[in-house]
Amino acid sequence: MFQNKQEFKDKYMSYCLQEIGRPFERCSDRERFYVLADMISDNAREIESAHGKQKEKKKVFYFSMEFLIGRLLDDYLSNLGIRDMVEDGLKDLGADLEALELQEREPGLGNGGLGRLAACFLDSMAALGVAGYGNGIRYKYGLFRQKIEDGRQKELADNWLENDYPWEVRKDDSTVFVRFGGEVKRHEEDGRFWFTWEGGELVRAVPYDVPIVGHNGTRVSNLRLWSTEPYKDDFDIDAFDRGEYSEAVRYRADAEAISYMLYPNDSNINGKRLRLKQEYLFVAAGLSTILRSYYDYYGEDWEKFPSRVAIHTNDTHPALCAPELMRMLMDDYDVDWDTAWDIVTKSVSFTNHTILSEALECWPIDIMRQMLPRTYMIIEEIDRRFKESVPIDIENRHRVLANTSILWDGTVRMANLSIIASYSVNGVAALHTEILKNIVFSDFYKLMPEKFNNKTNGVSHRRFLAESNRPLENLINTAIGKDWIGDASKLSELYKEENNPAFLHALEAAKRANKERLAYFLKVGCMTNVIPDGVFDIQVKRFHAYKRQLLNVFKIIDYYFRLLDGTAPELPPCNFIFAGKAAQGYKFAKDVIYLINRVAEKINNDERVAGKIKVVFVENFSVGTGQLIYPAADISEQISTAGMEASGTGNMKFMMNGAITLGTLDGANVEILEKVGEENITIFGLRAEEVEHLRETGDYQAFSYYNGNARIKRVVDSLTDGTFSDKLDDFAGIRDELVFSNDYFFVLRDMPAYIEAWEKTMKIYADREHWNRISLRNIAASGFFSSDRTIKEYADEIWGC
């Protein structure tokens, strides 16, 4: 690396000549970005090389379908401690660092909280010196690029690899061959028997490594992403000569499709097969690398494997880790069943991220048996042995087996497999973990309570506060120094400033600067002029019925109607901002996006409410967009149906940036309430136990709420009376879901309490000093929600690092 600004400039200009073949002055911003990225990534790999081969360090392999790492240049520069030097050096050369940063494409490696959490965890592992290795898939086209056309979501390919990705290195020497299909053969000799898996289809899994630099630039976590290629160049020339051109390249297309897209639509048989291939591919390739490396270091010393290696599965997508590790140990390394099972059940741990039944993956037995015959044999045996282990005299044994068996009703239940084969099972917020223990996995909890524990999620405060919010970062540094960047708990020192008018005024000025930045982005990107002096009321999440973006838009419609008829209370002007994607096949969620955009069109063009209310939908939400949005927020909308959100991480990002949470007692909102105090958060609505009771008893009748409350009825009727669309059936599905399908997520039930809570929060905003003090308290209490704290708990209490 370079020690001063002049050394940086000299080296940078030299790199330009070497890499581009032209002097710096004649390079484009894109070329300048790639040159800078090459310089920085070379240094990151030097750090990785210095620490990556320490035999004595226990290694943690984190398996996840998603790693939403975002742009990395700012991360690297900040964590290496050279951002100011590089920025000043580029300025001397006539270049702008921010312009170069905008040249970086965000990698399409995730969708939402699950992937961003995994990325935060890699950052924190590096910061804390945990030897962390991410293991996922290098999706060629990511999830999709969201485009809003005529108010509706349209999905386009996210070709993020259109240009080279500068941070990755292809590792051909670590290529793994992965098998699908074929048959299992049993062999026996001298009373000993074994199995081989033969035939079928082989694909090449080629790894690309991305270093994730930790705070202070002393450690690096490695993210390994697998890309699929054909086992051999199997071009069918005979088919081509017959004019069957697609058939001639079918094998290549089938192999490469495995790593094309995140979450292909699995509503059809081909989609299910592709999803299962993806899940097996990155598990098999990752485990093969782990075992090969372990064998090179330690030989056949398998009994100590659990003390040297931790394998963590992030949700059920990597659930095949356990049976596949069994298969490799037994078939490739000649380990007996009992020893292999002992290794697996001391090495593999599992985090559950959801209680939604559709997200607790189940695969048809026929598909798995055909695609993964040997792995399925092992799953059968794990299931058989587990059933035998359930005590004969246990109460309601048939019900217990029905709830806990891996194989049931023609399916392989991946959550059950994960629980049975893991030594640790954790939820991601206190409430979520209690729901897992007492409701979702209650029979498992009774059988093996020692496995269950809670690890409340956290986010990288360096990424989502220090890097995203420079005005606030500078203010905090002035007040308490810079130690908080390495230790987020030190943010609590800000409490001493809560009665300092000068600090509170500076805090408001920082928020104003962030609002102006976001307002400019919305003007350019969304063609909407928001109200900079108004409240920024923001909800950014993946679209799903339980997250209740619909409840939010109903509040807006109700407020709009009351502004028109003169019954609205006197409140500050307000900007309502939404962002998030709906799954391609999720009609209800896509209809809600369309509704938001139609409401926005109606309200934003109504001169009667000009200056009082604006509605904006930000298309194609990403990590980078989030880093613009979180610092500008005043109100953080966290309004999911109680008991449905596992944790949430957006709530933490907003809190760190001084937004006040308006939410239900769901997910990590419970712990935010505990940390910040009830006077510094607004909570409303049904509690989780009340939701469960109403569902069990059937006491809630949505139609009665619709008919019994004139304001609710007016809002619901506006969906189909032409107020927001000339096509009266555009939103009939939403109305029917609420009124005639009994409103499963209690939108109408919570609506009055929600509106009352929102109005209360808006009135607090009018008292600027009081609001700024509440904002400061949220920032000061947010250190608990750093992913550094979460990873330390994982390392100390699960992985044993």
Side-chain angles (χ1 to χ4, degrees):
M1 191 45 71
F2 25 85
Q3 301 303 313
N4 55 58
K5 182 171 67 173
Q6 188 59 49
E7 189 178 338
F8 160 71
K9 291 193 293 184
D10 292 343
K11 192 170 184 178
Y12 186 49
M13 288 188 289
S14 175
Y15 260 66
C16 285
L17 284 171
Q18 293 173 25
E19 300 288 331
I20 308 299
R22 292 193 300 276
F24 167 83
E25 295 81 3
R26 292 171 54 196
C27 293
S28 67
D29 278 349
R30 177 173 293 278
E31 290 168 333
R32 292 171 180 176
F33 160 70
Y34 276 97
V35 170
L36 183 58
D38 283 345
M39 288 176 59
I40 303 302
S41 59
D42 284 350
N43 182 254
R45 292 183 188 100
E46 289 174 10
I47 300 169
E48 180 185 18
S49 178
H51 296 282
K53 296 181 179 180
Q54 295 182 2
K55 282 180 62 172
E56 74 281 359
K57 193 84 172 176
K58 186 169 187 178
K59 293 177 168 57
V60 177
F61 294 90
Y62 197 85
F63 283 72
S64 179
M65 281 288 281
E66 300 183 39
F67 286 93
L68 202 57
I69 56 178
R71 296 179 180 136
L72 290 180
L73 179 58
D74 200 14
D75 262 12
Y76 279 25
L77 295 176
S78 298
N79 286 335
L80 290 169
I82 59 173
R83 191 181 194 281
D84 291 342
M85 181 200 304
V86 169
E87 187 171 26
D88 290 344
L90 288 171
K91 189 178 297 182
D92 288 352
L93 295 172
D96 178 61
L97 177 57
E98 286 193 9
L100 269 59
E101 289 174 332
L102 291 175
Q103 299 301 316
E104 182 176 357
R105 288 283 294 270
E106 289 198 33
L109 301 174
N111 176 32
L114 185 75
R116 187 53 234 172
L117 181 79
C120 289
F121 280 8
L122 290 183
D123 171 88
S124 289
M125 286 186 212
L128 297 175
V130 175
Y133 300 81
N135 193 80
I137 297 178
R138 180 180 181 262
Y139 303 103
K140 185 174 182 179
Y141 297 111
L143 181 69
F144 58 81
R145 182 165 61 88
Q146 183 192 53
K147 182 73 174 174
I148 301 299
E149 292 188 357
D150 297 324
R152 296 186 184 276
Q153 172 181 293
K154 183 177 181 181
E155 300 89 23
L156 305 176
D158 179 14
N159 192 12
W160 68 279
L161 287 168
E162 183 178 10
N163 299 302
D164 290 338
Y165 185 57
W167 310 113
E168 68 182 9
V169 174
R170 180 181 169 112
K171 296 290 186 75
D172 283 295
D173 58 345
S174 297
T175 294
V176 174
F177 299 105
V178 178
R179 188 184 308 275
F180 300 101
E183 60 180 346
V184 178
K185 292 186 178 180
R186 185 180 189 277
H187 308 271
E188 187 170 358
E189 184 177 294
D190 298 330
R192 174 179 170 272
F193 67 90
W194 67 97
F195 297 90
T196 58
W197 182 8
E198 302 174 8
E201 168 196 2
L202 283 176
V203 300
R204 286 164 52 91
V206 182
Y208 289 75
D209 287 356
V210 179
I212 307 297
V213 178
H215 176 57
N216 285 333
T218 57
R219 296 280 179 165
V220 169
S221 295
N222 187 65
L223 172 57
R224 174 155 286 187
L225 301 168
W226 297 95
S227 182
T228 50
E229 299 176 0
Y231 169 62
K232 56 183 179 179
D233 191 9
D234 200 8
F235 178 72
D236 189 341
I237 194 168
D238 291 334
F240 191 86
D241 287 342
R242 292 193 303 270
E244 300 172 0
Y245 306 124
S246 296
E247 183 63 24
V249 295
R250 182 184 60 81
Y251 172 67
R252 171 175 290 277
D254 287 350
E256 293 178 348
I258 297 171
S259 59
Y260 265 7
M261 286 195 70
L262 170 66
Y263 301 141
N265 188 343
D266 62 354
S267 60
N268 58 70
I269 193 68
N270 289 331
K272 283 184 170 61
R273 289 177 58 83
L274 182 56
R275 282 281 293 270
L276 185 56
K277 278 187 173 183
Q278 287 183 333
E279 295 188 5
Y280 180 71
L281 181 285
F282 88 101
V283 161
L287 290 174
S288 178
T289 301
I290 293 170
L291 291 180
R292 185 165 57 192
S293 175
Y294 183 89
Y295 188 79
D296 288 344
Y297 278 154
Y298 304 109
E300 296 181 349
D301 189 9
W302 297 111
E303 291 188 2
K304 291 184 180 178
F305 184 90
S307 66
R308 294 165 174 158
V309 174
I311 296 169
H312 197 85
T313 56
N314 193 30
D315 223 354
T316 57
H317 309 122
L320 289 169
C321 272
E324 182 61 13
L325 183 55
M326 289 287 294
R327 184 194 72 77
M328 290 182 176
L329 287 170
M330 293 189 297
D331 296 357
D332 299 340
Y333 294 94
D334 201 29
V335 177
D336 65 87
W337 176 283
D338 290 338
T339 302
W341 183 244
D342 187 62
I343 291 169
V344 168
T345 54
K346 291 178 179 177
S347 303
V348 178
S349 48
F350 165 55
T351 295
N352 171 274
H353 283 277
T354 183
I355 65 170
L356 295 176
S357 57
E358 66 264 28
L360 297 172
E361 291 184 306
C362 296
W363 293 108
I365 285 175
D366 291 345
I367 292 178
M368 185 171 287
R369 183 163 43 200
Q370 180 187 33
M371 186 182 298
L372 309 172
R374 177 60 175 141
T375 307
Y376 177 75
M377 284 179 60
I378 293 168
I379 292 173
E380 272 191 324
E381 182 62 13
I382 293 172
D383 185 59
R384 185 189 68 80
R385 293 185 181 215
F386 168 74
K387 288 173 180 174
E388 286 186 353
S389 74
V390 176
I392 295 293
D393 59 351
I394 194 171
E395 185 178 357
N396 296 317
R397 189 172 190 272
H398 179 76
R399 189 213 69 214
V400 170
L401 290 175
N403 290 335
T404 60
S405 297
I406 301 169
L407 306 178
W408 197 264
D409 197 24
T411 64
V412 183
R413 299 190 290 191
M414 306 304 273
N416 290 9
L417 172 61
S418 296
I419 294 170
I420 290 167
S422 298
Y423 67 89
S424 171
V425 178
N426 72 277
V428 292
L431 175 62
H432 171 237
T433 301
E434 290 306 305
I435 290 171
L436 294 183
K437 293 192 296 187
N438 298 320
I439 300 174
V440 181
F441 300 131
S442 60
D443 287 311
F444 274 120
Y445 181 61
K446 291 170 185 173
L447 289 170
M448 45 191 78
E450 71 285 352
K451 289 189 177 185
F452 286 78
N453 61 94
N454 178 61
K455 299 290 174 282
T456 298
N457 280 343
V459 299
S460 171
H461 65 286
R462 286 174 288 274
R463 161 79 77 156
F464 291 105
L465 174 49
E467 293 176 26
S468 303
N469 196 338
R470 299 293 180 190
L472 181 55
E473 178 199 21
N474 293 334
L475 180 61
I476 295 172
N477 291 346
T478 301
I480 64 173
K482 296 183 178 181
D483 287 351
W484 66 274
I485 298 175
D487 180 2
S489 69
K490 292 185 180 296
L491 285 169
S492 63
E493 295 176 17
L494 288 172
Y495 279 116
K496 69 182 182 182
E497 304 290 346
E498 68 175 332
N499 294 312
N500 180 349
F503 185 90
L504 296 178
H505 179 75
L507 181 63
E508 182 171 2
K511 179 66 73 174
R512 171 66 190 222
N514 288 311
K515 287 182 175 182
E516 289 176 350
R517 181 179 64 161
L518 179 59
Y520 178 77
F521 172 80
L522 297 176
K523 179 179 180 179
V524 173
C526 304
M527 307 301 289
T528 302
N529 288 305
V530 296
I531 311 164
D533 291 321
V535 176
F536 280 47
D537 180 329
I538 303 180
Q539 186 176 21
V540 292
K541 293 178 177 293
R542 174 175 59 90
F543 270 71
H544 194 287
Y546 86 83
K547 294 179 183 288
R548 299 202 297 189
Q549 287 92 347
L550 182 62
L551 177 60
N552 192 347
V553 76
F554 274 12
K555 170 197 71 186
I556 297 169
I557 295 171
D558 174 72
Y559 184 51
Y560 172 61
F561 286 155
R562 289 191 292 147
L563 284 172
L564 294 183
D565 67 20
T567 60
E570 278 293 326
L571 298 173
C574 192
N575 306 283
F576 299 98
I577 300 169
F578 295 84
K581 298 179 181 179
Q584 297 96 310
Y586 193 176
K587 184 180 185 303
F588 180 88
K590 294 172 80 168
D591 285 348
V592 173
I593 290 176
Y594 183 47
L595 175 62
I596 291 169
N597 283 298
R598 295 296 294 182
V599 169
E601 183 179 4
K602 180 84 171 180
I603 290 175
N604 295 346
N605 290 291
D606 191 335
E607 289 297 327
R608 294 172 295 176
V609 294
K612 297 180 180 179
I613 180 173
K614 287 281 185 175
V615 183
V616 188
F617 184 93
V618 184
E619 72 179 11
N620 202 42
F621 182 70
S622 64
V623 177
T625 309
Q627 289 181 248
L628 288 171
I629 288 176
Y630 299 125
D634 294 306
I635 296 177
S636 165
E637 297 275 358
Q638 308 298 328
I639 58 176
S640 53
T641 308
M644 302 302 295
E645 185 75 83
S647 167
T649 52
N651 45 7
M652 303 170 189
K653 298 165 193 171
F654 282 116
M655 179 192 188
M656 283 179 177
N657 284 278
I660 282 70
T661 302
L662 169 59
T664 53
L665 269 182
D666 195 26
N669 292 354
V670 176
E671 282 131 305
I672 291 176
L673 170 64
E674 292 173 356
K675 298 299 177 185
V676 80
E678 63 182 13
E679 68 277 12
N680 301 303
I681 186 174
T682 307
I683 297 295
F684 74 93
L686 294 168
R687 279 25 179 185
E689 61 273 16
E690 293 173 316
V691 168
E692 185 68 21
H693 173 76
L694 289 173
R695 284 178 177 160
E696 285 181 354
T697 60
D699 287 347
Y700 173 57
Q701 297 299 319
F703 192 79
S704 298
Y705 271 79
Y706 163 73
N707 266 329
N709 185 307
R711 280 168 55 188
I712 290 177
K713 189 175 190 302
R714 178 167 65 169
V715 169
V716 174
D717 287 348
S718 73
L719 299 179
T720 54
D721 66 5
T723 301
F724 299 110
S725 175
D726 293 335
K727 298 179 180 178
L728 302 187
D729 61 348
D730 271 348
F731 306 117
I734 295 176
R735 177 205 59 197
D736 294 348
E737 194 71 31
L738 297 175
V739 177
F740 304 120
S741 296
N742 210 35
D743 185 18
Y744 185 76
F745 296 106
F746 300 93
V747 171
L748 304 186
R749 175 65 172 77
D750 272 349
M751 186 173 159
Y754 171 52
I755 292 173
E756 181 181 351
W758 175 74
E759 290 178 358
K760 171 187 171 185
T761 308
M762 290 286 288
K763 289 173 183 176
I764 295 172
Y765 181 86
D767 182 345
R768 303 305 304 128
E769 184 173 337
H770 183 43
W771 181 273
N772 292 333
R773 187 173 291 111
I774 293 174
S775 178
L776 181 148
R777 290 169 182 163
N778 273 268
I779 299 165
S782 68
F784 175 82
F785 298 102
S786 167
S787 51
D788 288 1
R789 186 268 314 158
T790 311
I791 285 300
K792 190 174 189 311
E793 291 180 1
Y794 275 95
D796 291 347
E797 301 169 20
I798 295 181
W799 302 329
C801 297

